[in-house]
Amino acid sequence: GGGGTAGTLTLLLGEGSKRLPQAIIIGVKKGGTRALLEFLRVHPDVRAVGAEPHFFDRNYERGLAWYRDLMPRTLEGQITMEKTPSYFVTKEAPARISSMSKGTKLIVVVRDPVTRAISDYTQTLSKKPDIPTFESLTFKNRTTGLIDTSWSAIQIGIYAKHLENWLLYFPIGQILFVSGERLISDPAGELGRVQDFLGLKRIITDKHFYFNKTKGFPCLKKAEGSSKPHCLGKTKGRTHPDIDQEVVQRLRDFYRPFNMKFYQMTGQDFGWD
């Protein structure tokens, strides 16, 4: 650490130390977590792991020393971060993160559960083109219109249910909910909220973004540690297949009460209905 010349010197010597993350993006899958992480990494005081460590869900038995070793080195005053969107729906994750540090700041990027489910399906389809249709996976029984809540694409979007589990271990004020929609329509505004929440100076502003018409995404004028403009990779912003509108409507009706409960719990209206 150290300020002034000493700080510059430790930077040049590649020193600093690996610390456990003080903030984690815990969810949700297909919500916009990669975009948020890439946008945040523009901040000089944010250091983040690129790959998803999956420590608190899949690799917990490897231990905290293994986890810490994955982290980038940081200087005094910098924040260490990671993102693993499956944590939000992992039963054991809240207790595990809390036992690492009760003070861990948590960020959840949420998105309209219906478009999130279709996006999730689209990602799976790109890897396994022979899977059944979205419509057939949605229902336990198409005739009765009973929705299959055990299908993960649908399960993940019941945010209120998953959040209850986190609130057993963390106060609501320690969790920031980022709107996946606003992350696209107003990236600088959402990033402002995130920087405030993390106690960072508001360095990332609209000057950092331009809107890419082709991708339909905001992109960075300069990526972290680069002078080139940077959009998210080819796997981001895939075109969704056309889904039967009746099925979409049926899903909207299904999610509505859960969405309302989620708005109440978070004190935020995400405008999904």
Side-chain angles (χ1 to χ4, degrees):
T5 322
T8 313
L9 193 56
T10 43
L11 196 53
L12 288 171
L13 296 172
E15 289 176 18
S17 39
K18 296 184 177 195
R19 297 182 179 90
L20 290 167
Q22 300 94 320
I24 305 177
I25 299 169
I26 58 171
V28 301
K29 184 183 180 197
K30 308 314 295 175
T33 60
R34 173 56 60 191
L36 177 60
L37 189 67
E38 294 308 309
F39 296 167
L40 263 178
R41 290 171 82 167
V42 168
H43 201 292
D45 291 333
V46 170
R47 302 284 283 116
V49 190
E52 298 175 4
H54 282 281
F55 176 64
F56 297 103
D57 56 354
R58 300 182 201 156
N59 293 305
Y60 196 62
E61 46 330 308
R62 295 179 181 235
L64 280 171
W66 175 85
Y67 183 49
R68 180 174 164 163
D69 198 51
L70 296 177
M71 300 300 145
R73 295 182 177 277
T74 52
L75 301 171
E76 215 61 57
Q78 292 185 316
I79 290 179
T80 303
M81 291 190 71
E82 69 117 317
K83 77 118 178 159
T84 305
S86 47
Y87 291 165
F88 188 61
V89 299
T90 302
K91 204 80 192 131
E92 302 77 22
R96 288 170 173 177
I97 293 175
S98 168
S99 85
M100 170 182 74
S101 164
K102 283 188 178 10
T104 311
K105 290 181 178 181
L106 307 172
I107 300 175
V108 192
V109 188
V110 286
R111 175 187 188 183
D112 181 320
V114 180
T115 44
R116 198 221 64 83
I118 297 168
S119 176
D120 200 332
Y121 173 80
T122 307
Q123 178 177 1
T124 309
L125 189 63
S126 72
K127 297 176 190 166
K128 305 181 185 167
D130 345 332
I131 54 165
T133 64
F134 180 87
E135 291 83 353
S136 64
L137 289 166
T138 297
F139 299 104
K140 271 206 189 73
N141 181 333
R142 184 89 196 241
T143 331
T144 61
L146 203 66
I147 283 168
D148 187 357
T149 54
S150 70
W151 182 29
S152 73
I154 283 165
Q155 176 68 42
I156 292 170
I158 310 173
Y159 304 141
K161 182 172 162 272
H162 303 299
L163 179 55
E164 278 176 341
N165 194 23
W166 289 87
L167 295 180
L168 299 172
Y169 295 89
F170 293 93
I172 192 94
Q174 220 167 297
I175 311 174
L176 181 73
F177 300 93
V178 172
S179 160
E181 286 82 16
R182 281 201 304 267
L183 196 54
I184 293 170
S185 64
D186 178 21
E190 282 300 274
L191 263 291
R193 293 178 61 236
V194 177
Q195 290 170 98
D196 291 352
F197 174 73
L198 295 174
L200 295 166
K201 271 205 250 73
R202 282 201 174 199
I203 287 174
I204 309 167
T205 63
D206 43 22
K207 294 181 189 59
H208 288 87
F209 301 99
Y210 69 95
F211 195 80
N212 181 303
K213 301 258 190 310
T214 321
K215 266 192 118 53
F217 263 23
C219 299
L220 292 165
K221 287 184 185 159
K222 289 185 167 70
E224 181 213 21
S226 156
S227 55
K228 288 196 188 70
H230 172 68
C231 282
L232 295 178
K234 288 188 260 315
T235 67
K236 302 301 179 181
R238 292 189 188 96
T239 313
H240 294 178
D242 277 327
I243 308 296
D244 182 336
Q245 275 316 294
E246 206 181 319
V247 173
V248 171
Q249 194 48 54
R250 184 67 196 77
L251 273 176
R252 296 219 162 276
D253 298 341
F254 165 78
Y255 279 120
R256 191 169 300 109
F258 297 111
N259 289 346
M260 294 307 146
K261 174 90 188 288
F262 184 65
Y263 297 175
Q264 276 180 324
M265 292 171 82
T266 58
Q268 264 171 273
D269 182 334
F270 290 90
W272 295 323
D273 248 8

